[in-house]
Amino acid sequence: MHENTISGGVGEIIEKKSRFIASVAPVATEQEALDFIAAKKKEYWDARHNCYAYIIGSKQEIMRCSDDGEPAQTAGRPMLDVLLSASVYNIVVIVTRYFGGVLLGTGGLVRAYQGATKAGLDASVLVEQRLGRELTITSDYNAYGKIDYLLREHAVPVSASEFGADVRLDVVIDADLYDSLPTEIANVTSGNALLSWGDYVRYGYDAEKIIIFEKKT
């Protein structure tokens, strides 16, 4: 089962001299969303407002938003409405406003925050969301080349690697490879590779980087 979701991106608009910067990121948990918001508030510490909205869970189990000092219902909720209209989840957007000296009024604020959020989504990349499972492969250096060849042949992304006394590879494999890939690895390594299964995940692959959207043990 494959779905589409949004990866990270940054969009910006100018409205009556005020600068609105929308930062978008994929998140798997509410804590990841809060950490992203905190990081952006630190980055844009000198801004007048840092308003945000996020949705966690395929059934929108968690939805939060904040006006961060703007008049009630003029920033966070309109931003959340844009995310809901886009049918995306496990996503956070924070819109940073640098005040330009001209008041926008409630209607103007709603349009500006929604416009910035749309700009952030437009600047993001649509990523195919897939079902898979994490797998850690440990082998000696003699077997590494054969394993690497198999992973490339099946387009299996490597999320992390460690080259010490042995080689350790953290990968994510699609559901249709659960049975066949371990067998192929065992065959080419004469059963000497150690395989350790991890969490089931929803994941995407963007610019040679694995994005984990959701985990389930």
Side-chain angles (χ1 to χ4, degrees), residues 8-69:
V10 178
E12 181 176 336
I13 66 170
I14 303 294
E15 187 71 27
K16 293 184 178 179
K17 299 182 179 180
S18 279
R19 183 183 177 199
F20 295 83
I21 306 167
S23 302
V24 180
V27 290
T29 65
E30 183 170 22
Q31 188 58 54
E32 287 185 14
L34 295 174
D35 289 345
F36 180 78
I37 292 165
K40 288 301 173 182
K41 285 186 173 182
K42 184 176 181 180
E43 179 181 351
Y44 296 113
W45 61 270
D46 57 340
R48 177 69 68 90
H49 304 282
N50 284 289
C51 307
Y52 64 79
Y54 58 83
I55 299 174
I56 307 296
S58 58
K59 297 181 180 179
Q60 304 164 351
E61 288 89 344
I62 301 174
M63 295 191 294
R64 302 281 188 271
C65 60
S66 169
D67 295 312
D68 192 38

Side-chain angles (χ1 to χ4, degrees), residues 150 153-154 177 179-190:
L150 278 178
E153 186 178 41
H154 291 293
L177 292 175
D179 295 324
S180 61
L181 186 60
T183 300
E184 290 185 54
I185 292 174
N187 289 338
V188 300
T189 65
S190 300

Side-chain angles (χ1 to χ4, degrees), residues 69-139:
E70 293 282 28
Q73 303 297 310
T74 63
R77 182 66 214 194
M79 292 166 59
L80 186 62
D81 288 341
V82 171
L83 298 183
L84 290 170
S85 296
S87 299
V88 293
Y89 63 91
N90 284 2
I91 190 168
V92 58
V93 57
I94 179 167
V95 174
T96 300
R97 180 189 182 188
Y98 284 96
F99 184 56
V102 179
L103 296 176
L104 300 183
T106 55
L109 286 172
V110 169
R111 287 190 295 273
Y113 278 101
Q114 288 191 325
T117 302
K118 290 176 183 177
L121 293 181
D122 288 342
S124 301
V125 177
L126 190 66
V127 176
E128 184 180 53
Q129 189 174 144
R130 311 172 70 92
L131 290 177
R133 191 175 182 185
E134 295 175 323
L135 177 66
T136 296
I137 307 168
T138 304
S139 75

Side-chain angles (χ1 to χ4, degrees), residues 156-204:
V156 174
V158 178
S159 58
S161 58
E162 182 179 318
F163 297 88
D166 292 314
V167 178
R168 170 176 167 157
L169 302 173
D170 294 330
V171 303
V172 178
I173 67 173
D174 276 354
D176 56 2
L177 292 175
Y178 289 171
D179 295 324
S180 61
L181 186 60
T183 300
E184 290 185 54
I185 292 174
N187 289 338
V188 300
T189 65
S190 300
N192 291 324
L194 176 64
L195 306 182
S196 178
W197 290 102
D199 293 331
Y200 292 93
V201 296
R202 287 183 179 272
Y203 77 101

